Each structure stands twice: as structure tokens, then as C-alpha cells.
């Protein structure tokens, strides 16, 4: 029996307002510059996609419940209330047209972290039953089946067997006391199993003790995407339980943007205690192995390659230098996009957008920005480090009839790896 | 006193050895000071020459005699004080020889003899708080003013006390002092403000009255526009320093020695309308700003209450540091309450948190 | 209040006291309202410090990023011209400095009046351009409500009346200065309860943004 009501949503908004949110709303002068940083505005020209505008429901709650003037206005009946209609209307703005890429947070002249507030606003949307049905389904699958795409351990297990048979590599499973426990995203298991093989190859060469965990392999966290800490907590808890059961020292976040956010940054806060293990992104680990000389590459490709920074990893996760150093390991002809690193443009499918069927047309439309950035480089191969970005870009390029191969950076490193065996 | 046989102003001037040329020079200067066109000079001269001695009754109320000092201490013999001498000053506390009943009788006699034609000059403010605050021969200032003004042709309020209430009216105005204009509403009243006013302004007004039988054009404060039309600031010879941002910071620093602008030292020139900067004092010798002291704004209403004399004009009248500290203290108190309410709202919201599960994502429809 | 001197004395006296008191009380309330909401604890192992990136962001956000400038030059230029003009006029005009000195007990050197005069003109021009931009730019037009126009007026009036008073274009001067003070008093009274508060809260906002990003190893 569903309990999603407006009152519940309002309460969630109230819970979410903190000092930064209050400072941000107090500071906004409606200059509109955030629109220029948002591909949903730049590619459509529709002002309703202005990032700060997407936060109107949260702003009203802040004003009416946490400021003197707002309370007075409410008392006098001058305040515009947050209604079911408003939230319904805002669903498209807070989900379909926001990937929480955080680019707006980078340009705001008064320093507002808008994507931080979108994440918070989604809590109220979920609690009031105004999250997109498609993402709701993904969340339900994640909690009941263990993966938003409905991937069970059985599927992973058969992929492992398949890889072991084909490559002769050993994929350790549930080895207690191993140092590293990599997580995977469903997309990697289903669409890009090369990633698992690449990990096995690199780790064997580097002599790393690692293990997969049969009940904590899924890295994606639909709770973060839909914007529910309660659901996100449940999913993070599974990983923590698995890692603690195997007593690993490190949990490796895979090539997936929001997974890194959820396990690296939000995870400890969600479960309310620091992790007894460290969380590291696979690119950070590879860069460490490179720096310490434990992995080497050869036969650098002279093919012109460019790198797409996944927003959650680069702008919002601080993993910016590592992928550049790794690109230098595999290509002698690496070119940057015009806007890269913390200034990259989103693929248009992050933050759960790629899961929303109704948002597909819009997603293709705004993909134009990324397409142009890629084409400007003249690269013949695009490298990235997020399975979701990869899929979204592949679909986008197909929509625009652009032929361009994509590859994950980890696979590319594995491909050029100098192996002793 | 003036010889009774002298009938006109011209006679008086000639008797005192003033040449025709000197007289015309005076007329030209007066005309230009009063912004009359040059064509008016001969008419002015002719009128003044033939002007008969008007009867003047000078009333002193709550005042300091500074205004009289200012007028009588101008260096003799000047044309200004000759004109002043020419009038028939029938009643003046400080200057008259008579005293007691004789003095009051002189006033009553002048009023009767010149009914409807005499001029009343007032210096000092009128206390309304209690008639006993200031009395003359047993009569309150108010009674005397009302009675004397009733038959007058016009009233000239000399000095800021008579014009605006001045020092007696300064906050908290213990005597309930008011200006002449507050009492006399049915007669023309000319305000010659200043503490003290410039002597030539009084003679100018008299000259105008003698010439045309009317009073000059007045500004919003009843002051002759010819003398109070521009501000001290606009005519100040130190103005270029203001524009350049060169200010004296103390009365003995380099800026003060170089004659820079006195704004920071409290000069109220920008808000003050008077002729000091052009007419100057003591026969054109100097004036306050030239002597190194900022303008006090003495010809403006309520200048005593317009903030510290040595505070820049931009500084508010009140004790701003005190206001801000009190406000900060009050603000902290109210803010603590507001913060407490916000904290409570948030804690309450947290308490009411109902865990979201996958079973209640959909909206009740 | 029936004449210009009365008006000037009132605006320099009672009205100013009331306005400055409301301004300060309101300012403190607003800041407490914000800070009292607290920040969620962060237990994740940080990649960087909070303090320096926070301070750095406070400074760096003063400059626009290249992309935004290219896309919205008018917003950026009008914003700069108006803010620089306003700040020079407010902070470097000697009569204003005298007021600050009286309030805080210390002052600073000012600029010659013709330079401040030019800055005031810049401020007025910048504000007019900003208004035009707000009325024509589709994003700003959509975002803007009554409050945005109210704060524009509140900011514009002191500049305008100050300019007119300085050039003695309103007579008599006590009326001109009184109008200037009255417009400032309006500004002070409404300041804490409108988005004019960004003047102060932007430092908080920038700091939070910079600190939260700094923690994740990104300079925002």
C-alpha cells in the first residue's frame, strides 16, 4: 500500500533544507547564467530548463518554512503553496531534464551548488509520489532482484564462467581476506563483460589480491538516481555487508558515474558511520598501479582518441588527472575536447535520465552538444569510464548517424598491457 | 539721532558728504545684489533719493543681541549704516535712550502716528510654552508682537531665531519657541536668517522697500531670493578642492594650511543658502570658510539640530554607533529565537520522516 | 514635515536610525536563519580540505567562466559595470567614507569626485542595461518576478538621487539630499528581506560550494 502523499513530500523537502540550501536560495538573483551551463537549455532554448527554476518547489518550502518573510506571507495568504499539480509539473524538470551533472554549480556567480539541491529536491518528489514511473521500476528491481536491470547473480556467474573459459584467467569469488573487492554495474555484466576480463588481466599482472562478492557486486544505486536516501541506504548497506563479510581493504567503484557518488561520497553518510574499508575508483587504482610501475603498456595506438569525462567521476568526484595519465599510456594521439575535465558537457543521460522512456526524445536532442564536442576533436575513437555514458553516447551517435567506436578506459589499458605470462 | 529737518534719504546722504557718484555706485551695487536689471538703477537712485524716513519698531524677544551687534558694528561710515541711520528707529531696547514707561510710550506713539505704514523688525523667537518666559513691561512677547504687527506695513524677521526659532527652538525647545511667521500670518514677513544675518541683506531689504514700497521676491523660507538664492557650496572659493577630493582632515594639517575643502570638518555649505561667500563679512574682509572654519549652516532652519558642527554633512544626526550596537544586540536576541524556530521545524520534520520503501513510490491515485 | 530642511533633518535623523536598526536586526536574523539549519555531517573520507578551496571559490566566482561570458556577454558586462560602478560610488565617495568612519570608527582613502561621478554614471548605465536584459532575455524574463524588479528600483534610486544631489539638479539641496537619504533608507529597510541579501550570503554560498567540492578533490 503506497503512502506517497503531498504532506509526506513537503515534510521531506523540509528535512532536506540545510544551511547551504538556505544560503543558496538567499543568494540567487535570477541572473539566469546557470541556463547557459545546462545542455537542456542550450540545446532546446526553452527557458523552463533553467537549472535554478527546476528547484522552485524546494525554494518555496525553504521560503515559507524557514524565513521570517516567507512565514509572514504564508500567514497572510500571499505565498504560493507547493501543490500536487506543481510537483507533477516539475517532475519533468527535476528528472527528465536534469542529469545532476553539476555544470550549473560551477558557473553560478554567487556560488550556488544547484545539483546538490536537485539531489535534495528529488527526496521530496519521491516521498510525494512524483518520481518517474520508469525509475520507480528500476528502484523496485534493484531492491527486490538486486539490480535495476534485473540482473541476478546467476547471470554474473555465467559471465564469469564464460570469461574464465575463454581467457584462461581466474576470477576470484567470495575470497575472504582479499585486498580489493571490485563492484560492477549491471550494464557491464550484460553489455560490457570485457570490463571484468580486463580487471582480471590487469590485476593478475599487478599481483593484486582481489575478489568479487556474490551478494555485493552491483554498484549502481537507483536510490541515488531517484533521490531516495532510504532506498539508497538499503543498497549501500548490501555492499558494506559484503565487504565486511570478506574483510576487504578496498572496494573498487567501477566505470560508472553515479555508483562512485553513491559508494564513495554518500555511502558513509547514508549508513551513518565511516566505512572500515577505503573506496577507490578503478581509474584511480589503475593510475596508482601505473605510478608505482606495477603495470606497463606497450604498442601505443596512434589513433586519434578523445576522452569523455563522466560528470560524477570528474566534476563531482575529483577523478580528473588519473584518466589523462592513463590515456597517455594507451594513445600517442590523445586530444582533449574543447570543454573537458571539470568543464565537460554531460552525455545527457546521467542521474537516471537514461532510464526514463518519456525523456528519450529530449535526451537525443540535447546530445547534440556532446556530439559537437566529440566531432570538433576529429577523434576516431571515444574513450570513457562510465557504462551509462557509454551506452547513452552510443545511442546518441546512432541517432545522429555518426560512426564512432567507443571503449572503456580500463579495457583499453588491459588491451595495451604488457603481460609477463 | 537724525536731524528732524532732513526729510529724505537724499538729504541725509548729502548732509553726510556722500557724493552723487558714490550714491549711484551704491545703487548699482544694491541693484546687482538684488538681481535687478541695470535699467532699474536710475529708478532705484531716484526713489531712494526721495525716500521718506519710515518709522521702524524693533522688537527683541528671546535673542542674544547678536543681530543688533552685527548691524551696528559694521565700520562707519558706510552707506549701509547711513540707510540704517536714516530710518526713524522709534523703539529698540538696546539702542534707545528712553526706558520703562517712556520707552513703551514711544512704541505706542509710533504705532499710532504711522498706522499701516511702519515696519516692524523682530529679532528673537517667541516662547509659547509659558508667557512668563519672556516679558517686556509686563507683557508677553506674543502679546507685544501681535499688537505691534497688527498695524504694520510689513515685518522683517532678523536672525535665525526670529525667522525660524533658532537656538531657543533647538531640541528639546524648553520654552516652546516659535518663529515670527508662526504668529504673524496676515502681514508680509521677510526672513533675514543667519546667526547673525549679513548686515547688507537688511539694508537691501530696506532699500527695496523704500524704493518700490514692496518686499523683494522670497524663497520657500520667506528669505529674499536675491541673497539666499544660491548655496554657500556653489559659491565657495574652496569648491574646486571638493571636486578634486582634496580635504582638510584636521584644523592644523597640511590640507587646512593649503586651504582645502572643509567638508570633512563639518562644513554645512552644501545645504546652506546664504550670501556669505559673495558678500563676505566686515566690509568684505573675510567669511567663516575663508577664515578656516566650515559653515555651520546658520541661515537654515533648525541648524542647531542638524548634527554635530564638526561632523560631515553625510553623517546622520543621531548617534549611529549607538544605534547600530543596540540594533545588533536586539538582532542577536530576535535572531536566536528565529534560529531556534528553524531548528525546531527541521527536527520536527526529521521526526516525522516516514521511511520510503519501494512499495510506496507510486502516487495514490 | 512641511519644508525641505524638516525633510532633510528627518531623513538624517529618525528615519536613518530606524532604517539602520531594521537593516541590522534583519541582517542578523537572516544570517542566523541560514546557519541554524546546519550542514549534514560528512563521514566519507575526504580527498581534499574544505577551507582553502572554500576561500578560493569565494574569490574565483567573482570572475565569470569563459563559456558563460561567450554565451551571455550582456549579462556579464551589465552585471560588472553596475556592480563596479555601485561599489566605487558607495565605498570610495568621501562623504560616504565619512559615514562609515563615524559608524565603524575607521575610514579609508576615497577617490576624487569626478572619478566617483563617472562611476555613478557607469552604475546607472549598467543598471539600465541589466533591466533591459531582464526584460528581453528569455531566461531572465521567465525567472523574474516582482521582487526582482523591486530590488532593481531599490538599487537604482540611491544612485539616481545621489547623482542628482551631487550635481545639484534638484533644488533646494536639502530636498535633494533628503530624497537621496530616503531612497537609501528604503533600501536598508527592505535589504534583509529581499534578494539584496545576496550581498552577504553569496560569501556563505560560495564557501559552501567550494568547501563541498574541495572535500571531493575538485576546485569549483
Amino acid at each position: 500500500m503506497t503512502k506517497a502523499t503531498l504532506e509526506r513530500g513537503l515534510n521531506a523537502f523540509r528535512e532536506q533544507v540545510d544551511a547551504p540550501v538556505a544560503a543558496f536560495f538567499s543568494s540567487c538573483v535570477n541572473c539566469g547564467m546557470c541556463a547557459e551551463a545546462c545542455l537542456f537549455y542550450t540545446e532546446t532554448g526553452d527557458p523552463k530548463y533553467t537549472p535554478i527554476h527546476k528547484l522552485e518547489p524546494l525554494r518555496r518550502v525553504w521560503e515559507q518554512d524557514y524565513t521570517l518573510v516567507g512565514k509572514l506571507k504564508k500567514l497572510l495568504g500571499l505565498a504560493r503553496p507547493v501543490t500536487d499539480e506543481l510537483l507533477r509539473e516539475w517532475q519533468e524538470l527535476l528528472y527528465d531534464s536534469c542529469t545532476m551533472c553539476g555544470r550549473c554549480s560551477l558557473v553560478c556567480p554567487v556560488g550556488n551548488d544547484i545539483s546538490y539541491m536537485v539531489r535534495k529536491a528529488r527526496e521530496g518528489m519521491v516521498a510525494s509520489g512524483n518520481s518517474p514511473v520508469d525509475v520507480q521500476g528500476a528502484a523496485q528491481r534493484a531492491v527486490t532482484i538486486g539490480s535495476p536491470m534485473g540482473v541476478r547473480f546467476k547471470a554474473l556467474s555465467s559471465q564469469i564462467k564464460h570469461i574464465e573459459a575463454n581467457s584462461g584467467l581466474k576470477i576470484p569469488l567470495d575470497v575472504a581476506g582479499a585486498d580489493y573487492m571490485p563492484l560492477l554495474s549491471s550494464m557491464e555484466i550484460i553489455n560490457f563483460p570485457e570490463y571484468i576480463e580486463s580487471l582480471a588481466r590487469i590485476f593478475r599482472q599487478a599481483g593484486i589480491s582481489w575478489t568479487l562478492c556474490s551478494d555485493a557486486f552491483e554498484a549502481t544505486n537507483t536510490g541515488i538516481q531517484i533521490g531516495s536516501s532510504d532506498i539508497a541506504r538499503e543498497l549501500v548497506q548490501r555492499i558494506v555487508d559484503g565487504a565486511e563479510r570478506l574483510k576487504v581493504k578496498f572496494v573498487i567503484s567501477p566505470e560508472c558515474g553515479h555508483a562512485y557518488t553513491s559508494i564513495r561520497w554518500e555511502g558513509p553518510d547514508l549508513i551513518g558511520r565511516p566505512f572500515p574499508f577505503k573506496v577507490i575508483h578503478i581509474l584511480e587504482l589503475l593510475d596508482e598501479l601505473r605510478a608505482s610501475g606495477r603495470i606497463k603498456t606497450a604498442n601505443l595506438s596512434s589513433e586519434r582518441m578523445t576522452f569523455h569525462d563522466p560528470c560524477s567521476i570528474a566534476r563531482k568526484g575529483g577523478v580528473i588527472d588519473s584518466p589523462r595519465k592513463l590515456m597517455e599510456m594507451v594513445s600517442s594521439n590523445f586530444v582533449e575536447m574543447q570543454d573537458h575535465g571539470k568543464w565537460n558537457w554531460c552525455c545527457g543521460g546521467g542521474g537516471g535520465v537514461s532510464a526514463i522512456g518519456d525523456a528519450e526524445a529530449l535526451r537525443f536532442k540535447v546530445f547534440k552538444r556532446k556530439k559537437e564536442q566529440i566531432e570538433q576533436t576529429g577523434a576516431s575513437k571515444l574513450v570513457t569510464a562510465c557504462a551509462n555514458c557509454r551506452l547513452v553516447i552510443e545511442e546518441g551517435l546512432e541517432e545522429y548517424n555518426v560512426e564512432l567506436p567507443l571503449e572503456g578506459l580500463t579495457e583499453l589499458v588491459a588491451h595495451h598491457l604488457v603481460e609477463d605470462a | 539721532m537724525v536731524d528732524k529737518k532732513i526729510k529724505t534719504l537724499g538729504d541725509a546722504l548729502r548732509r553726510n558728504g556722500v557724493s552723487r557718484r558714490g550714491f549711484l555706485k551704491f545703487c548699482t551695487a544694491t541693484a546687482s545684489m538684488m538681481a535687478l536689471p541695470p535699467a532699474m538703477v536710475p529708478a532705484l537712485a531716484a526713489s531712494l533719493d526721495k525716500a521718506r524716513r519710515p518709522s521702524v519698531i524693533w522688537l527683541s524677544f528671546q535673542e542674544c543681541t547678536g543681530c543688533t551687534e552685527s548691524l551696528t558694528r559694521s565700520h562707519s561710515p558706510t552707506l549701509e549704516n547711513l540707510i540704517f541711520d536714516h530710518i526713524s528707529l522709534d523703539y529698540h531696547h538696546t539702542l534707545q535712550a528712553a526706558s520703562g514707561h517712556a520707552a513703551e510710550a514711544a512704541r505706542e506713539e509710533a504705532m499710532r502716528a504711522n498706522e499701516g505704514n511702519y515696519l516692524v523688525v523682530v529679532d528673537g523667537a517667541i516662547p509659547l510654552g509659558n508667557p512668563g518666559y519672556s516679558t517686556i513691561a509686563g507683557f508677553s512677547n506674543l502679546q507685544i508682537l501681535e499688537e505691534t504687527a497688527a498695524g504694520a506695513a510689513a515685518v522683517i524677521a532678523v536672525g535665525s531665531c526670529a525667522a525660524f526659532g533658532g537656538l531657543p527652538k533647538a531640541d528639546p525647545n524648553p520654552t516652546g519657541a516659535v518663529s515670527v511667521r508662526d504668529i504673524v500670518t496676515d502681514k508680509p514677513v521677510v526672513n533675514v536668517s543667519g546667526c547673525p544675518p549679513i548686515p547688507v541683506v537688511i539694508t537691501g531689504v530696506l532699500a527695496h522697500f523704500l524704493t518700490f514700497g514692496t518686499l523683494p521676491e522670497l524663497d520657500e523660507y520667506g528669505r529674499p531670493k536675491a541673497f539666499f538664492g544660491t548655496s554657500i557650496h556653489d559659491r565657495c572659493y574652496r569648491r574646486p578642492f571638493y571636486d578634486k577630493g582634496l580635504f582638510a582632515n584636521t584644523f592644523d594639517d597640511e590640507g587646512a594650511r593649503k586651504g582645502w575643502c572643509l567638508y570633512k570638518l563639518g562644513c554645512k555649505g552644501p545645504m546652506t543658502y546664504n550670501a556669505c561667500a559673495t558678500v563676505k563679512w566686515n566690509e568684505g574682509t573675510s567669511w567663516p570658510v575663508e577664515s578656516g572654519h566650515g559653515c555651520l549652516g546658520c541661515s537654515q532652519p533648525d541648524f542647531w539640530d542638524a548634527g554635530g558642527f564638526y561632523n560631515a554633512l553625510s553623517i546622520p544626526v543621531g548617534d549611529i554607533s549607538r544605534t547600530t550596537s543596540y540594533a545588533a544586540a536586539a538582532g542577536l536576541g530576535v535572531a536566536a529565537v528565529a534560529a531556534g524556530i528553524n531548528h525546531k521545524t527541521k527536527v520536527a520534520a526529521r521526526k516525522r520522516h516516514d521511511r520510503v520503501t519501494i512499495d510506496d513510490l507510486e502516487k495514490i491515485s | 514635515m512641511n519644508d525641505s530642511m524638516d525633510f532633510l533633518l528627518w531623513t538624517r535623523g529618525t528615519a536613518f536610525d530606524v532604517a539602520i536598526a531594521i537593516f541590522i536586526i534583519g541582517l542578523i536574523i537572516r544570517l542566523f536563519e541560514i546557519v541554524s539549519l546546519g550542514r549534514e555531517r560528512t563521514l566519507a573520507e575526504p580527498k581534499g580540505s574544505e577551507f582553502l578551496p572554500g576561500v578560493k571559490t569565494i574569490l574565483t566566482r567573482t570572475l565569470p567562466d569563459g563559456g558563460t561570458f561567450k554565451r551571455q556577454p550582456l549579462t556579464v558586462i551589465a552585471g560588472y559595470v553596475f556592480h563596479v560602478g555601485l561599489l566605487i560610488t558607495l565605498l570610495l565617495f568621501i562623504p560616504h567614507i565619512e559615514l562609515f568612519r563615524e559608524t565603524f570608527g575607521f575610514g579609508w582613502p576615497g577617490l576624487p569626485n569626478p572619478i566617483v561621478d563617472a562611476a555613478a554614471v557607469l552604475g546607472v548605465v549598467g543598471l539600465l542595461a541589466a533591466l533591459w536584459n531582464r526584460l528581453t532575455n528569455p531566461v531572465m524574463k521567465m525567472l523574474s518576478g516582482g521582487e526582482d524588479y523591486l530590488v532593481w528600483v531599490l538599487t537604482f534610486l540611491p544612485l539616481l538621487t545621489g547623482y542628482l544631489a551631487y550635481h545639484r539638479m534638484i533644488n533646494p539641496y536639502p530636498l535633494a539630499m533628503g530624497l537621496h537619504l530616503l531612497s537609501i533608507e528604503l533600501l536598508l529597510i527592505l535589504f534583509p528581506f529581499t534578494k539584496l541579501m545576496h550581498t552577504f550570503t553569496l560569501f556563505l554560498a560560495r564557501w559552501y560550494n567550494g568547501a563541498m567540492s574541495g572535500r571531493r578533490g575538485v576546485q569549483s
Side-chain angles (χ1 to χ4, degrees), chain B residues 245-277:
Chain B
L246 298 173
F247 296 92
N249 289 309
T250 63
F251 284 108
D252 58 356
D253 69 355
E254 201 202 347
R257 277 192 290 276
K258 287 188 170 164
W260 290 351
C261 178
L262 299 165
Y263 184 92
K264 284 188 181 178
L265 292 171
C267 179
K268 303 295 185 294
M271 71 162 197
T272 307
Y273 288 77
N274 205 344
C276 303

Side-chain angles (χ1 to χ4, degrees), chain A residues 119 123 143 221-238 262 266-267 270-271, chain B residues 356:
Chain A
R119 166 71 185 84
E123 293 277 348
V143 171
N221 191 322
T222 331
I224 298 289
Q225 293 181 318
I226 199 168
S228 168
S229 293
D230 289 335
I231 293 174
R233 183 180 306 113
E234 211 172 323
L235 299 174
V236 164
Q237 190 65 53
R238 289 179 189 174
S262 67
E266 289 202 26
L270 287 168
I271 67 163
Chain B
V356 173

Side-chain angles (χ1 to χ4, degrees), chain B residues 242, chain C residues 88-97 111 113 116 166:
Chain B
Y242 172 85
Chain C
I88 289 178
T89 313
L90 172 68
L91 299 176
L92 297 175
F93 186 45
I94 283 162
H96 297 167
I97 297 171
L111 286 176
N113 291 350
V116 178
Y166 172 71

Side-chain angles (χ1 to χ4, degrees), chain A residues 133-365:
Chain A
V133 176
D134 290 346
V135 189
Q136 288 175 3
Q140 280 154 354
R141 284 190 296 280
V143 171
T144 53
I145 303 172
S147 132
M149 291 170 79
V151 177
R152 293 172 199 275
F153 177 67
K154 239 177 17 199
L156 174 60
S157 172
S158 72
Q159 284 286 26
I160 290 173
K161 279 186 197 120
H162 190 71
I163 294 163
E164 286 186 330
N166 280 0
S167 64
L169 289 159
K170 174 85 187 105
I171 314 260
L173 186 68
D174 292 330
V175 180
D179 288 344
Y180 289 88
M181 182 180 109
L183 302 173
L184 305 165
S185 71
S186 310
M187 280 187 206
E188 280 156 347
I189 300 166
I190 302 299
N191 300 323
F192 312 117
E194 311 88 277
Y195 175 73
I196 305 169
E197 187 186 330
S198 302
L199 283 186
R201 207 172 280 288
I202 294 166
F203 289 169
R204 183 180 65 183
Q205 175 59 29
I208 280 190
S209 124
W210 67 294
T211 180
L212 287 175
C213 178
S214 59
D215 45 26
F217 60 87
E218 178 61 78
T220 62
N221 191 322
T222 331
I224 298 289
Q225 293 181 318
I226 199 168
S228 168
S229 293
D230 289 335
I231 293 174
R233 183 180 306 113
E234 211 172 323
L235 299 174
V236 164
Q237 190 65 53
R238 289 179 189 174
I239 295 168
V240 175
D241 290 344
E244 286 182 338
R245 181 168 65 82
L246 297 179
K247 298 189 169 54
V248 295
K249 296 195 184 85
F250 292 91
V251 166
I252 305 170
S253 177
E255 291 199 348
C256 169
H258 83 273
Y260 187 61
T261 299
S262 67
I263 190 74
R264 176 68 177 87
W265 301 116
E266 289 202 26
D269 298 334
L270 287 168
I271 67 163
R273 62 183 166 93
F275 291 160
F277 49 84
K278 281 181 187 288
V279 177
I280 186 167
H281 192 266
I282 181 65
L283 295 186
E284 290 177 300
L285 176 59
L286 294 183
D287 190 35
E288 270 178 39
L289 296 177
R290 175 200 62 81
S292 59
R294 289 169 77 182
I295 57 169
K296 288 191 168 60
T297 53
N299 305 322
L300 264 59
S301 171
S302 60
E303 194 181 358
R304 181 176 280 229
M305 294 183 194
T306 188
F307 181 76
H308 164 72
D309 286 287
C311 311
S312 287
I313 294 172
R315 179 161 46 240
K316 295 173 79 179
V319 184
I320 293 173
D321 294 338
S322 300
R324 265 98 206 146
K325 294 200 179 109
L326 295 171
M327 283 304 290
E328 300 292 335
M329 278 182 92
V330 297
S331 172
S332 58
N333 197 0
F334 166 58
V335 283
E336 290 280 17
M337 287 183 218
Q338 193 194 352
D339 299 312
H340 58 269
K342 71 172 186 177
W343 284 111
N344 84 298
W345 289 90
C346 180
C347 64
V353 172
S354 63
I356 306 170
D358 291 343
E360 197 178 74
L362 182 62
R363 172 158 64 87
F364 285 141
K365 191 168 187 187

Side-chain angles (χ1 to χ4, degrees), chain A residues 2-5 7-8 11 14-15 17-18 65-66 71 84 126 128-129 136 139-140 143-144 228 230, chain B residues 334 338 341-343 345-365:
Chain A
T2 172
K3 291 183 288 182
T5 59
E7 195 29 64
R8 204 161 174 249
N11 195 63
R14 274 194 285 273
E15 275 181 80
V17 175
D18 59 3
D65 289 342
Y66 291 115
K71 285 179 216 171
D84 268 320
V126 172
S128 64
Q136 288 175 3
Q140 280 154 354
V143 171
T144 53
S228 168
D230 289 335
Chain B
V334 185
I341 293 170
N342 268 7
H343 184 70
T345 308
K346 191 161 175 189
V347 169
R350 279 214 181 112
K351 264 195 196 134
R352 289 178 61 195
H353 180 86
D354 191 2
R355 199 168 75 90
V356 173
T357 70
I358 50 165
D359 296 323
D360 44 28
L361 293 175
E362 281 163 56
K363 181 134 201 81
I364 303 166
S365 47

Side-chain angles (χ1 to χ4, degrees), chain C residues 11 24 39 78 82 90 96 124-125 127 133 137 147 163 179:
Chain C
T11 51
I24 287 168
R39 245 173 95 189
F82 133 62
L90 172 68
H96 297 167
V124 168
V125 170
L127 266 177
N133 195 26
N137 176 302
E147 192 187 328
Y163 183 84
L179 286 173

